[in-house]
Amino acid sequence: MLRNTYTKGLVGIAALVAQADAFWRLPCASPVVVQRADPIMDPNAVSTHVHTVMGSSAFNFTMTYEDTQIASCSTCKAVEDLSSYWVPSLYYHAENGSFISVKQSGGALIYYLQRTDPKDPNAAEGLIAFPKDFRMVAGTPSNRNYTDTLEQRAISFVCLGTEGPATPELPNKNCPGGLRTQLTMPSCWDGRNLDSPDHKSHMAYPSGLDNGPCPASHPKRFITVFYEVTWDVDDFKDLWYGDKQPFVFSTGDPTGYGYHGDFLNGWDIPTLQRAIDECDAASGNIEECGAFTLRDDDDMAACKVLPRVNETVAGVLPALPGCNPIRSGPEEAPDCRTTTTATSQIGDPILPFTDVSRSLGWKYTACAKDPAGQPRTLPDVAVDEPDMTVERCVSICGGRGFRLAGLEYRSQCFCGNEIPPDRMPASGTLGDCGMACAGDPGQFCGGAARVAVYTRCDDLADCDNYVGNDVW
């Protein structure tokens, strides 16, 4: 009966779109940062669990609307959107007890659905834009049981590449096309509070989750925000064991019932209101909405925030970061923050390069673009070695008289004397050069189609590393 109730009540995105008068999809190319930070639930502190964060470079441990507006970039498509969107990260739980981070397929797809109802208490007002300093949370991280509430029905999982409906829990089968996690945010507002003590009570769902009228207690209506994040679970298809699916969220949740999402508004408010009022394309293509200026895809991918919690959150881990033992329920997962010995300090930014400015006289310059199928950014020498390090690449290029040394895709080294201007990252973006070096996992050796460039210093007194627009 429970499953039948869920299946009848579940509204998948296809149904959402079919009923919507208009909508747009906001692509977010990649995470801006992955770390234990949550400025809504855990302001000014290290969060209890790891989040995958999409959106603006203003993301921090505490944030105001004014903070969002000074962001230099975003991983999301609309220039006028400097909001932050985040969800818990996903891990594979190995048979030996270790955990392996699951990669995303891209970043996220955020749907903005223009849903109203003539019976809304403030129907004459129509949809309104999120105000300054507005924020909200949907879902309960500690939940491990399905209760068929509107909030619970807002969470669903789609096993891409297989047949069957979305499910309220993590599916117990491999998903060849990826696991898509879905979350509908509430859209009915009390009209007064920008936040609430539980970060939820100022908001409510309409009677039909994404449709139907808002309750009288929450008479004002925002545009409906719907998150899609897809995870590459097929990478682990040959590593299943036992009779249960092997994935777990960063909260220690193997069920999916504790999935959740956060939204912190950073929109240019007049632009968002204009889009709500004027963008009426049924296709959902953001390019058809004239209210927006659109970012270049490369610039979206290059937007990063330097992490400030000194712990490993990706790769193979002995335990989930923070205090998150696996709890299968059905009882609620307890809060063990008072007993944890996990890292709890917000530290200095963790820099995405190896500092050899004093030891070798070479400074980090940029994470430059090196697009596939085109001439190399540094074209003069190419070396690929299984034990590549920053020192090794600098030695190769310096020994051959070049002033630039570049590392890419963990093991590749390139040399040259200049970077073409069109290969430099956009102003204010860091680029994605965070792959561990093949010869030293404690160093960074570029990325996919991204080359980490070091420059030989002519004067050690002027040998400062650059990250984005900052000197380190």
Side-chain angles (χ1 to χ4, degrees), residues 163-348:
E163 296 183 355
T167 59
E169 69 281 311
L170 288 169
N172 196 27
K173 58 184 176 182
N174 183 49
C175 306
L179 170 66
R180 191 170 72 204
T181 57
Q182 303 183 154
L183 178 67
T184 304
M185 304 296 283
S187 57
C188 303
W189 180 39
D190 66 12
R192 300 183 305 275
N193 297 295
L194 303 174
D195 195 4
S196 49
D198 64 356
H199 313 294
K200 299 180 185 181
S201 298
H202 60 305
M203 295 295 294
Y205 286 97
S207 62
L209 179 62
D210 68 289
N211 61 82
C214 288
S217 59
H218 294 73
K220 292 182 176 288
R221 190 147 186 171
F222 294 134
I223 193 167
T224 298
V225 181
F226 179 89
Y227 291 15
E228 284 185 351
V229 180
T230 302
W231 307 88
D232 290 333
V233 296
D234 193 52
D235 291 347
F236 302 89
K237 63 183 178 183
D238 297 325
L239 300 176
W240 283 52
Y241 58 93
D243 58 357
K244 295 182 179 180
Q245 66 84 26
F247 299 100
V248 58
F249 285 109
S250 55
T251 52
D253 175 19
T255 67
Y257 299 139
Y259 189 66
H260 57 284
D262 300 54
F263 169 76
L264 192 148
N265 181 39
W267 276 98
D268 176 76
I269 296 169
T271 298
L272 179 58
Q273 189 63 58
R274 178 188 166 198
I276 291 170
D277 295 340
E278 299 179 5
C279 294
D280 56 2
S283 67
N285 292 331
I286 195 171
E287 291 82 3
E288 296 183 39
C289 179
F292 303 133
T293 308
L294 302 181
R295 290 187 173 88
D296 179 84
D297 289 348
D298 284 341
D299 294 342
M300 292 161 61
C303 187
K304 299 296 174 186
V305 170
L306 298 178
R308 293 175 56 195
V309 181
N310 190 16
E311 64 183 355
T312 302
V313 297
V316 181
L317 310 175
L320 293 172
C323 179
N324 295 289
I326 293 180
R327 307 281 189 180
S328 299
E331 63 277 358
E332 188 171 288
D335 187 343
C336 59
R337 278 179 287 189
T338 57
T339 60
T340 181
T341 58
T343 301
S344 60
Q345 297 297 315
I346 301 172
D348 293 329

Side-chain angles (χ1 to χ4, degrees), residues 106-125:
L109 200 57
I110 311 296
Y111 287 73
Y112 279 79
L113 303 162
Q114 287 138 296
R115 309 306 301 271
T116 60
D117 191 282
K119 295 181 180 179
D120 279 337
N122 282 37
E125 182 181 28

Side-chain angles (χ1 to χ4, degrees), residues 362 378 393 397 404-408 412-416 451-454:
W362 288 67
L378 300 179
C393 184
C397 296
L404 299 179
L407 298 113
E408 188 168 344
Q412 300 170 1
C413 175
F414 301 95
C415 307
V451 57
V453 181
Y454 291 78

